[in-house]
Amino acid sequence: MKMLIGGEQTDATATEEIEIVDPATEEVYDTVPAGSTGAVDLAAQAAADAFASWSRTDAEKRAEIIRKGLELVAAHKDEIVETLTHEQGKPTMEAAGELQHFLHGMSYYADLATKVRGAYQDLPSTLGRSYGMVIRRPVGPVAAIVPYNYPLTLMGTKIGPALAAGNTVVVKPASSTPLATLKVVELLHEGGLPPGVLNVVTGRGSVVGDRLVTHPLIRRVAFTGETGTGKQIATLAAPAFKRISLELGGSDPMIVCPDVDVAAVVKGAVIARFWNAGQSCLAAKRLYVFDEIYDEVVGGIVKELERYDCGTGWTKPEKPKLRMGPVHTRRGQDELAAQLEDAVAGGARVLIGGGPPAGADKGHFFQPTLVEGAPHDSRLVQEEVFGPILPVFRVKDIDEAIRLANDTRYGLGSSIWTHDVRYIERAAQDIEAGMTWVNQIHYGYDELPFGGLKESGLGKEHGLEAMLDYYFETKSVVMGGLQ
């Protein structure tokens, strides 16, 4: 597949191809051009050229065009899901869920396109009668830099509000997961999106990403990815005072109090940690369970994890097994092993899992793993663990649970499982995180602003707030000379 610049498929300025490797088989599934800085220049110019017309397009018309494109995307569901499964590794069911999340989020923003308002303000009569208005204007060409774990969903959280607000976009997908993105954007163009409004440049972050962030025509950068890369983007964007939002790494705590439905907690913990093979920034990555129900909760999780079967995403295991796909890269698999080894060296005990399944000679598979007794200063606890390992801790009360929950440099999401309003209030007020779920798994709702504190990022995605605050500029207009 080729890049999409100015509404056309192209391999402009590419001198080599990037192999897209299926993480379940380690075989080459397809190739894409390795875009150069020249490709970024073409895409940024195309976005800049299209901005004047698109930003002045009636909001209702913009929404209509987006919806028509989404209808085509939905009609090609099977093809997109198959592609996503092979390039990313997730099971078909999870890939279908991601596509549905993308469609929902994009529809939500299409609906918001006509709901944007400004403000009116009476002004002092010092210089004669006048009043002020606050109007909202789209920012301009936007860079959307997307990671590999949820290529479509995390693209949607950027292009949805950007397009609905009248901005144009250059998307830089992860170099290992560009295929479903290219197909979806192609279909959005078939639905009527004008040339240059939405562009995709494939390639490596060190080339395409860096040029995109520093390009003088790009006014705003929206990035999701690991914290180290976020710091680099912030540094590159700072000299030009570009508007940025950085949704970065997380190490979300999940606190379980004594008054819960244990079965619901077990189900929630397993989904919240092991969905997408644990490769979610907002996954529940540390589990703190009150002493009174610790054994019951841990025993339930172990029993549930025994049902999991590692394998290719496009085949179904025999019932009652549940399928889990591979970790996306060999490097990620090796990192998980090193983090687990560090914890075990410090006295941690592996209750189930612990590495690749027996006989897995191909594919980046790692069994769902539950660990207790990990030192709180170990890599497994203090670093972001981007894969299917969950450390669990026994706590005596809410004070200890919150203290340990905050013992991290991250602050993305968190959850508490209880019906005690006192515990809920403590969690809402005292956990240092951008979001707290109560009796629910960690899920990114398009309708609510989402983003982190501390080293989990800067700014927000999702919700009307993200659209208004990050995809519009506010401008004050004074109407004077009135009688």
Side-chain angles (χ1 to χ4, degrees):
M1 299 183 74
K2 296 182 179 181
M3 296 180 283
L4 289 164
I5 299 177
E8 301 290 335
Q9 294 188 0
T10 179
D11 56 2
T13 74
T15 59
E16 60 175 316
E17 292 186 327
I18 294 176
E19 294 182 341
I20 308 304
V21 176
D22 187 325
T25 64
E26 301 186 59
E27 296 175 356
V28 176
Y29 181 68
D30 205 339
T31 61
V32 295
S36 65
T37 56
V40 175
D41 294 343
L42 291 173
Q45 189 63 60
D49 292 343
F51 174 69
S53 176
W54 181 247
S55 63
R56 288 179 172 82
T57 299
D58 181 76
E60 191 168 345
K61 181 63 176 178
R62 290 200 302 265
E64 178 185 327
I65 291 171
I66 293 170
R67 291 192 190 99
K68 187 174 180 181
L70 294 179
E71 290 176 1
L72 291 175
V73 172
H76 288 77
K77 170 187 173 181
D78 291 345
E79 176 188 354
I80 296 168
V81 166
E82 179 181 349
T83 298
L84 184 57
T85 296
H86 281 283
E87 67 174 337
Q88 201 280 336
K90 64 186 66 185
T92 298
M93 179 189 71
E94 295 184 13
E98 178 174 351
L99 179 59
Q100 184 56 44
H101 198 167
F102 168 82
L103 292 170
H104 172 82
M106 291 290 292
S107 297
Y108 169 75
Y109 282 109
D111 291 344
L112 286 182
T114 59
K115 309 301 188 295
V116 177
R117 294 177 178 176
Y120 169 91
Q121 176 65 54
D122 279 322
L123 297 175
S125 58
T126 307
L127 300 177
R129 195 169 79 83
S130 60
Y131 67 87
M133 297 185 297
V134 180
I135 64 173
R136 298 183 186 276
R137 302 163 63 241
V139 174
V142 173
I145 303 177
V146 185
Y148 68 77
N149 55 332
Y150 292 101
L152 298 184
T153 300
L154 296 176
M155 176 177 68
T157 61
K158 298 164 181 59
I159 69 171
L163 297 177
N167 300 286
T168 54
V169 188
V170 180
V171 177
K172 192 278 178 197
S175 59
S176 56
T177 54
L179 303 175
T181 296
L182 287 165
K183 182 61 181 178
V184 165
V185 174
E186 178 186 339
L187 292 168
L188 291 175
H189 278 95
E190 287 184 23
L193 206 61
V197 170
L198 182 59
N199 310 273
V200 182
V201 179
T202 56
R204 297 178 177 86
S206 58
V207 178
V208 172
D210 287 2
R211 177 57 178 166
L212 194 54
V213 171
T214 58
H215 200 285
L217 292 177
I218 297 297
R219 304 279 185 84
R220 157 154 168 60
V221 179
F223 170 76
T224 300
E226 63 100 11
T227 296
T229 305
K231 291 179 179 179
Q232 180 184 1
I233 287 174
T235 300
L236 292 173
F241 301 102
K242 292 180 186 283
R243 300 189 66 178
I244 61 174
S245 59
L246 305 171
E247 198 267 275
L248 307 179
S251 184
D252 289 12
M254 175 176 171
I255 297 173
V256 181
C257 302
D259 61 327
V260 296
D261 177 345
V262 171
V265 166
V266 168
K267 181 179 180 181
V270 169
I271 295 173
R273 183 63 188 113
F274 299 101
W275 188 268
N276 200 34
Q279 299 166 111
S280 302
C281 56
L282 51 68
K285 297 188 174 105
R286 295 174 291 137
L287 182 60
Y288 299 100
V289 185
F290 276 51
D291 183 74
E292 298 96 310
I293 57 168
Y294 178 89
D295 292 335
E296 186 179 1
V297 169
V298 170
I301 294 175
V302 169
K303 185 175 181 180
E304 190 68 13
L305 294 184
E306 289 173 347
R307 299 178 58 205
Y308 273 81
D309 174 62
C310 294
T312 55
W314 57 91
T315 58
K316 294 183 179 180
E318 295 183 5
K319 292 185 177 180
K321 291 289 186 178
L322 301 171
R323 177 50 48 89
M324 189 172 77
V327 175
H328 187 60
T329 65
R330 178 69 66 187
R331 178 182 175 183
Q333 184 188 43
D334 292 342
E335 181 77 356
L336 289 171
Q339 289 169 321
L340 181 59
E341 181 180 357
D342 175 72
V344 170
R349 298 173 296 282
V350 176
L351 301 180
I352 188 171
D361 56 341
K362 282 189 176 182
H364 312 141
F365 295 103
F366 202 101
Q367 299 174 91
T369 301
L370 189 67
V371 180
E372 68 176 358
H376 219 266
D377 61 354
S378 66
R379 293 185 59 193
L380 193 65
V381 181
Q382 292 301 317
E383 297 179 355
E384 181 176 33
V385 179
F386 217 61
I389 305 177
L390 177 62
V392 58
F393 304 90
R394 188 189 300 264
V395 295
K396 64 179 181 298
D397 55 29
I398 192 66
D399 291 332
E400 182 182 18
I402 290 178
R403 177 178 61 79
L404 292 174
N406 289 337
D407 181 23
T408 174
R409 68 178 186 269
Y410 297 107
L412 191 54
S414 59
S415 68
I416 188 165
W417 296 69
T418 181
H419 297 285
D420 190 322
V421 69
R422 297 168 301 173
Y423 292 159
I424 294 171
E425 172 68 9
R426 285 290 309 279
Q429 295 296 334
D430 294 345
I431 294 180
E432 298 168 352
M435 194 165 188
T436 297
W437 290 264
V438 180
N439 298 322
Q440 194 174 99
I441 65 170
H442 301 203
Y443 179 83
Y445 288 97
D446 295 291
E447 295 79 2
L448 281 176
F450 175 76
L453 310 178
K454 301 190 281 191
E455 291 195 23
S456 286
L458 177 70
K460 300 288 184 179
E461 290 193 324
H462 304 198
L464 176 61
E465 293 86 350
M467 181 174 172
L468 295 181
D469 294 346
Y470 295 96
Y471 292 94
F472 284 103
E473 297 280 7
T474 57
K475 182 176 183 179
S476 297
V477 178
V478 176
M479 299 295 289
L482 304 177
Q483 299 301 317

